[in-house]
Amino acid sequence: MSLDPHDLDPRDGPRDECGVFGIYGPDHEVSRLTYFALYALQHRGQESAGIAAADDGGYIVTQRALGLVNQVFKEHDLRALGGDLAVGHVRYSTTGSNEWENSQPVHRSAGSGGNRRELALAHNGNLINAVELHSELRQAGVSFNSTSDSEIIAAALASHPGDSIEAAVEHVMPRLKGAFSTVVMTNDRVVAFRDPNGIRPLVLGKLGDRYCVASESCAFDIIGATLIGEVEPGEMVSISAAGLQRKIIVASPRRSFCVFEYIYFARPDSRMNGDVLQAARGRMGEILFREAPAPGADLVIAVPDSGNPAARGYARAAGLPQDDGLIKNRYVGRTFIQPGQELRRHGLRLKFNPLPEIVGGKSLVVVDDSIVRGNTTRQIVQMLRDAGAREVHMRISAPPLRNPCHYGVDMSTREEMIAHNRTPEEIATILGTDSLAYISMEGVYEAVRGDKAKHCDACFTGNYPLAGTDSANGKFALEDGVVPLPLVKA
């Protein structure tokens, strides 16, 4: 059994985007609160982490590095950062490779590189006109230290001649095309803004009489803040000593919230569309049973952890017992060390270990939330058969993934996706399963109690909500010679 090094990643689906957080709180330990908020958002990005903080009216201090939140920050780091306001970021690269220069928050200092103001910025999403904006800024004399589209946003705001950061956002925001849930700080305020389609999540919370913003509500839970609601698509939110100001900058032409956030990306204890995702994912499992029962099955197991809620829902609707047939090692992070020939035959056992006493002799329904390339799923099926499973029926609580995302998620190309130009029956043969079924797109919307007209489901349907998406530049566009002007590396 061959082992793809990507399969050693603790999460098997599309690579997550990023997580952002921002707070203005002179009466709170803002760097410490930001650390724990990022800790709660770690699932959204595991390549790098960073915090920028400032005393009200002082200079911005930024610390960022490759690694997990608890690897990047220690107690003395948080004490050194201090501050009255802060922004934080966890990253998986979507535009630009995994290098220190591309970690966030992006820090632009006043008086250099064309900057008129100092700021730090954290961004979740992906610009589809990054190359165009980058070229314009370079021609205007603005320099760059990275190859991420997030620095393009930061540079546009830092170099704008307006008197305030709010004025800069009002001018720059209509020029940005794509997905951008963004938090930016100067030395006296935190400003958050969201693309007019609202593709990626961004929510507003309150801590005492202070305000904060985050990618997901689970970041508020860990610090004791209360969820107020969404930062609306096209809206700018400003948080400072004057309190909270909100303003719609660009009218929303069509809400296009990413439906895959419900299925996979967001934490199950986060709330979206007025519902906790654990409950929505359970309903996906129930609907999946209704649409695709597995006659003769006698046990439901999940591919942990992301398949757990849907597996419980499937078992509940089917009236079947559920058990843990696969035990996951939750302490293995992504490793770039090749396992070597001796360990290669053990396949995914660095991460999953089947229990013969549970699955032996059983006809299994195995529930997972998605299949991308199929490498991991194929190896899991073989492990279960080796452990004595009589039958393996795969049930997936997402429709077939057939299209890449250009809005802040790093997916495989169409040709790499196992569902590309294949029927479920053909995929089942490749995976070695007795049967395979996916939930329908209609079933997903029923489960999340949402309207197709207000969501983006392009990774399933190919219907991209933004014009020009198909010709958007790829993840490494700023590194592959697409940009005619050279980048200045830090």
Side-chain angles (χ1 to χ4, degrees):
M1 180 185 297
S2 64
L3 184 62
D4 188 318
H6 284 90
D7 292 330
L8 299 178
D9 193 306
R11 303 195 73 187
D12 304 314
R15 307 294 177 215
D16 300 340
E17 335 84 328
C18 301
V20 302
F21 179 79
I23 183 170
Y24 178 89
D27 42 356
H28 297 281
E29 295 182 274
V30 294
S31 294
R32 190 174 303 276
L33 292 177
T34 303
Y35 169 88
F36 282 105
L38 295 181
Y39 196 82
L41 295 171
Q42 185 74 85
H43 60 286
R44 298 189 70 86
Q46 298 90 44
E47 284 189 351
S48 66
I51 295 174
D55 294 329
D56 199 332
Y59 292 103
I60 298 173
V61 178
T62 302
Q63 179 174 336
R64 55 196 175 107
L66 300 182
L68 302 176
V69 175
N70 64 357
Q71 296 170 330
V72 172
F73 297 102
K74 305 303 178 187
E75 179 66 31
H76 65 272
D77 299 314
L78 300 179
R79 289 178 180 173
L81 282 167
D84 298 318
L85 61 160
V87 299
H89 188 269
V90 290
R91 181 176 193 259
Y92 182 82
S93 56
T94 55
T95 294
S97 57
N98 181 27
E99 302 290 346
W100 179 87
E101 293 92 338
N102 289 329
S103 60
Q104 298 186 38
V106 177
H107 189 169
R108 304 279 297 189
S109 299
S112 64
N115 301 331
R116 292 178 169 86
R117 60 175 57 83
E118 183 184 32
L119 58 79
L121 176 142
H123 165 225
N124 174 206
N126 197 54
L127 299 183
I128 63 173
N129 63 336
V131 170
E132 173 191 345
L133 294 173
H134 186 276
S135 181
E136 289 179 9
L137 288 165
R138 287 284 306 185
Q139 290 174 15
V142 177
S143 62
F144 291 85
N145 296 314
S146 74
T147 57
S148 81
D149 58 345
S150 304
E151 194 185 11
I152 295 173
I153 304 175
L157 295 174
S159 61
H160 189 269
D163 293 335
S164 66
I165 185 63
E166 290 90 348
V169 170
E170 284 198 52
H171 181 267
V172 169
M173 192 171 160
R175 295 290 326 281
L176 307 177
K177 299 190 184 306
F180 48 93
S181 288
T182 309
V183 183
V184 58
M185 66 175 284
T186 59
N187 65 356
D188 67 350
R189 65 195 58 229
V190 171
V191 175
F193 55 97
R194 191 177 178 200
D195 66 86
N197 291 82
I199 295 173
R200 305 259 71 87
L202 191 63
V203 289
L204 178 66
K206 192 171 185 181
L207 181 64
D209 59 352
R210 303 297 186 181
Y211 293 92
C212 48
V213 291
S215 291
E216 295 180 36
S217 63
C218 62
F220 298 154
D221 296 336
I222 198 171
I223 64 171
T226 302
L227 173 66
I228 295 175
E230 287 186 87
V231 175
E232 294 297 325
E235 184 180 28
M236 174 180 66
V237 171
S238 180
I239 308 167
S240 66
L244 173 69
Q245 283 84 41
R246 309 182 68 167
K247 183 178 182 180
I248 297 294
I249 305 301
V250 183
S252 179
R254 176 196 186 277
R255 284 179 175 253
S256 307
F257 184 67
C258 173
V259 75
F260 214 13
E261 291 280 355
Y262 298 111
I263 297 169
Y264 175 80
F265 289 132
R267 249 175 56 160
D269 53 338
S270 286
R271 295 182 177 275
M272 292 180 175
N273 196 29
D275 200 5
V276 66
L277 293 185
Q278 179 80 359
R281 290 169 183 172
R283 290 194 294 271
M284 290 176 197
E286 295 172 357
I287 294 166
L288 185 55
F289 166 72
R290 186 186 72 204
E291 294 182 345
D298 44 28
L299 181 66
V300 178
I301 69 169
V303 177
D305 289 317
S306 54
N308 291 346
R312 280 190 285 271
Y314 193 102
R316 185 165 56 242
L320 290 172
Q322 189 208 353
D323 209 333
D324 296 327
L326 290 165
I327 300 301
K328 180 177 181 180
N329 178 4
R330 291 171 175 82
Y331 300 97
V332 57
R334 186 175 186 184
T335 175
F336 295 92
I337 304 299
Q338 297 299 310
Q341 197 60 41
E342 183 178 0
L343 293 177
R344 228 170 250 278
R345 62 190 179 87
H346 294 297
L348 287 180
R349 290 189 186 229
L350 279 170
K351 183 171 57 175
F352 294 120
N353 198 27
L355 298 178
E357 293 81 1
I358 302 297
V359 304
K362 298 291 199 311
S363 176
L364 302 175
V365 177
V366 183
V367 181
D368 203 357
D369 59 7
S370 59
I371 304 176
V372 187
R373 294 170 302 150
N375 297 348
T376 299
T377 306
R378 183 171 60 250
Q379 293 175 41
I380 286 173
V381 170
Q382 187 58 52
M383 283 196 297
L384 292 171
R385 291 202 187 280
D386 291 345
R390 188 174 80 253
E391 294 179 345
V392 179
H393 301 276
M394 288 296 306
R395 296 294 181 266
I396 308 300
S397 60
L401 281 163
R402 293 194 168 101
N403 306 280
C405 176
H406 296 283
Y407 305 134
V409 181
D410 188 15
M411 291 185 177
S412 303
T413 64
R414 284 186 179 91
E415 291 71 25
E416 291 173 324
M417 295 177 176
I418 195 171
H420 177 65
N421 286 338
R422 291 189 180 100
T423 66
E425 292 75 21
E426 291 170 332
I427 300 169
T429 299
I430 295 171
L431 298 178
T433 62
D434 293 280
S435 71
L436 168 69
Y438 298 83
I439 194 173
S440 67
M441 200 72 250
E442 295 74 20
V444 170
Y445 285 117
E446 179 185 344
V448 303
R449 296 168 179 168
D451 183 351
K452 179 180 177 64
K454 296 180 180 179
H455 290 83
C456 175
D457 54 23
C459 56
F460 305 120
T461 65
N463 298 322
Y464 295 101
L466 299 182
T469 297
D470 285 324
S471 59
N473 298 114
K475 174 178 175 178
F476 301 108
L478 301 180
E479 301 171 4
D480 289 341
V482 175
V483 180
L485 296 169
L487 292 174
V488 177
K489 302 298 287 183

